Amino acid sequence: MKLKPLLSTITTRKFSTKYSGRVINQTQNGLSFAIEVQTPTLPRDVKGYTLPRCDLICKISKILQSPTSLDPILELSDFLDTLTITITPSEASEILKTLRSPRKAIEFFRFCATSIPRFRHDCFTYNRIITILSKGSGAMELVKGVVKEMERNGVRGNISTVNILIGVFGNGNEGIEDLEKCLKLVKNWDLQFTRYTYKCLLQAYLRLNETMRAFEVYIEMRRRGYALDIFAYNMLLDSLSKNDKIVEADMIFADMKLKHCEPDEYTYTIMIRMTGMVGKPEKSLTLFEEMITKGCTPNLIAYNTMIQSLAKGKMVDKMIFLFSKMIDNGCGPNEFTYSIVLDALAAEGKLGRLDEVLELSKKYVTKPIYVYLVKTLKNLGHASESHRVFCNMWNFGDGGDRDAYMSMLESFCNTGKTAEALDLLSKVHEKGISADTFMYNMVFSALGKSKKISHIHDLYEQMKRNGPLPDLFTYNILISSFGRVGRVDEAVKLFEEMQISDWIPDVVSYNSLINCLGKNGDLDEAHMKFKEMQEIGLSPDVVTYSTLIECFGKTNRVEMAFSLFDEMLANGCYPNIVTYNILLDCLEKCGKIAEAFELYAKMKEHGVTPDSITYVILKHLQSGSRRSGRIRKQSPITGWVVNPLR
């Protein structure tokens, strides 16, 4: 052995085990010699366990996580060939701990078992790999595979193994079945449950919503003299209260105090919520006062829970008093707080006290809170209260809120308060909100339903002067509104104006104009518009056909009405109950009884369900048939004649 290569080898193996030896042979020129190496002794701790070699662990970890290595496992194998003593299970466990990737961890774990001579995994390395795999994707199946391998190789786990597995299986889809298998390992490995094992099992059952199984675990813990920590107690109480296990929750709450685990604000909040839900607001109050006496400072959740309990118990005065105390203690209400108060006041018919609530909390009331109150009151049908809150909001700060504004405008329009809607629309710019076409359309629609045509005309002129520009919906609303009051010339003018604008009339536009023309005596012009819409490629819908059929029917042009009906069917446009009612009414007035009942039979065949108007028409038809002396067969279902030929 040459000296120079030996020195080189020693300098490059700085992460390997240090060896000692003696020279037993040497050449005369001193260029080579033989050394007898003594077997190294690995350092051990006070209990006799081999201490991991930190330098070796660092070296192997760097090899496995090298970003430039094409095959880290192969490079590791070459490195280990340079060692006289192989790595130990404790060192393997420390190496696994450094690996961030579950894939690399399982590769190294398999490599140790298959490629390192005399290496055998122990329960500590299995615990380590199970912990690592539990955090990756597909964890459940990988962990199950490792456990089966562990049993197959005869490796006996310890109680830590069971604790880890309970944590893993307690989150799985097959939860209970997997947990049962996990508990069998305790018996197979002859282990004893610890306090921590019981706690892990209890929390696993709670995560799987197996509340009563968790309670049974608690009873067993209690029998053995074990106690939970505050987090586990709260977790169990929360689950029991949500599953209406009142007696069990009360027992555990009492146990907490006996076991010297003082309830905290979360514990009291859980108990207050539970007693409130079962209709015991007085008990909730007692718990709330006890919480304060114990030195716990109620947070927003605790206040909301207590307020909710009082609201459920219809204790409005105490609810508002507690709300005021909440403000005095510097705890600002949130949207949920106001929703509880609002619902309680509405249910008890005391919405007038909402002003008192807002005055108490004025330093906390923000614009989003105002918006919420405006929208909620509007949705609950309390338009005047919604408007009052909106006025308060309108004076709040410099800018307005578009959502609240739209909600208020919609409320006015839906309740027919068109004067208020017009006033609100005129003031929109005062708070920096830009009026858009949608707002105008909403007001136009309300004015049209109220037949306030002069206001529509003035608002439309204002819109054209100041903007925004009308859109397709604007024109359709206006045409329909003018047609509703017989202002045919203005409706036609608007339609022509739309045709030369950027907006192309759609089926609704034509339907509105056809309805306007037909119902105001200009049926031929209405029919021409019907043909025009077909020529430009628009397909008439059931409303188009039904409108024209009605107009022709009212002018006793029955043949034309049925011609349109046949065309409607041929074009694949299916009539609805309105269409059939129009035709039945037309035939009844013309005295065509047989044709009417034939049409009724066809309607039933097509699966169209009669309505109250249909039955009124049938009653008239039946009366007419009796006058003519013809006997009809009565339907056992409707009581009306369904076929004149039976």
Side-chain angles (χ1 to χ4, degrees), residues 453-508:
I453 300 302
S454 61
H455 291 93
I456 290 179
H457 184 273
D458 294 342
L459 186 61
Y460 182 58
E461 292 299 319
Q462 175 189 322
M463 186 181 188
K464 288 194 292 184
R465 275 195 317 271
N466 305 324
L469 294 174
D471 61 8
L472 179 63
F473 299 101
T474 312
Y475 285 115
N476 289 346
I477 293 167
L478 293 176
I479 292 168
S480 176
S481 299
F482 281 113
R484 189 179 285 118
V485 295
R487 304 274 283 268
V488 180
D489 291 341
E490 290 173 79
V492 172
K493 182 180 177 182
L494 280 164
F495 188 85
E496 291 171 351
E497 182 183 321
M498 176 171 54
Q499 286 180 308
I500 61 175
S501 70
D502 294 334
W503 299 101
I504 300 173
D506 62 359
V507 173
V508 177

Side-chain angles (χ1 to χ4, degrees), residues 119-131:
F119 184 92
R120 178 178 167 82
H121 284 297
D122 59 14
C123 69
F124 298 103
T125 53
Y126 275 109
N127 289 354
R128 183 75 70 189
I129 193 64
I130 290 170
T131 303

Side-chain angles (χ1 to χ4, degrees), residues 96-226:
L96 285 169
K97 186 178 179 181
T98 66
L99 301 178
R100 298 184 181 90
S101 166
R103 181 184 60 80
K104 287 185 177 181
I106 195 65
E107 283 180 2
F108 174 67
F109 184 83
R110 301 289 185 213
F111 170 81
C112 290
T114 58
S115 302
I116 299 179
R118 299 181 303 280
F119 184 92
R120 178 178 167 82
H121 284 297
D122 59 14
C123 69
F124 298 103
T125 53
Y126 275 109
N127 289 354
R128 183 75 70 189
I129 193 64
I130 290 170
T131 303
I132 294 170
L133 293 177
S134 67
K135 299 174 183 176
S137 58
M140 203 63 61
E141 292 306 315
L142 289 172
V143 169
K144 287 179 183 179
V146 170
V147 174
K148 287 179 181 178
E149 177 188 317
M150 189 177 183
E151 292 184 284
R152 190 168 55 248
N153 293 336
V155 178
R156 180 177 175 274
N158 57 18
I159 198 62
S160 294
T161 316
V162 175
N163 294 344
I164 296 166
L165 291 174
I166 288 173
V168 176
F169 294 146
N171 288 314
N173 295 327
E174 302 174 13
I176 297 300
E177 183 180 344
D178 288 333
L179 277 179
E180 293 299 327
K181 291 177 182 177
C182 178
L183 295 178
K184 287 180 182 178
L185 294 175
V186 177
K187 183 177 180 181
N188 295 342
W189 292 336
D190 192 26
L191 302 173
Q192 294 294 324
F193 270 50
T194 65
R195 174 179 171 275
Y196 184 72
T197 310
Y198 280 116
K199 178 186 172 184
C200 290
L201 184 60
L202 181 142
Q203 291 179 332
Y205 280 135
L206 291 177
R207 285 195 296 271
L208 296 169
N209 200 29
E210 292 288 338
T211 305
M212 290 313 294
R213 286 178 184 257
F215 181 72
E216 289 167 7
V217 173
Y218 173 76
I219 295 300
E220 179 64 18
M221 290 183 70
R222 190 184 185 210
R223 188 177 68 81
R224 292 180 176 272
Y226 295 137

Side-chain angles (χ1 to χ4, degrees), residues 322-364:
L322 182 63
F323 182 86
S324 68
K325 288 298 180 183
M326 175 182 177
I327 301 300
D328 292 342
N329 292 332
C331 184
N334 61 2
E335 190 174 293
F336 182 65
T337 319
Y338 286 104
S339 72
I340 300 167
V341 173
L342 188 60
D343 289 342
L345 293 177
E348 296 301 306
K350 297 182 178 181
L351 276 174
R353 299 194 69 178
L354 182 60
D355 292 337
E356 178 186 347
V357 171
L358 292 175
E359 179 62 28
L360 285 169
S361 58
K362 59 184 178 182
K363 67 178 180 179
Y364 294 109

Side-chain angles (χ1 to χ4, degrees), residues 35 43 47 57 71 129 165 171 182 207 219 228 250 258 343 415 417 480 482-483 512 522 598 614:
I35 299 176
K47 293 183 179 181
I57 292 168
D71 191 345
I129 193 64
L165 291 174
N171 288 314
C182 178
R207 285 195 296 271
I219 295 300
L228 295 171
D250 284 337
L258 293 174
D343 289 342
T415 54
K417 296 181 178 181
S480 176
F482 281 113
S512 299
D522 202 345
E598 286 176 6
T614 316

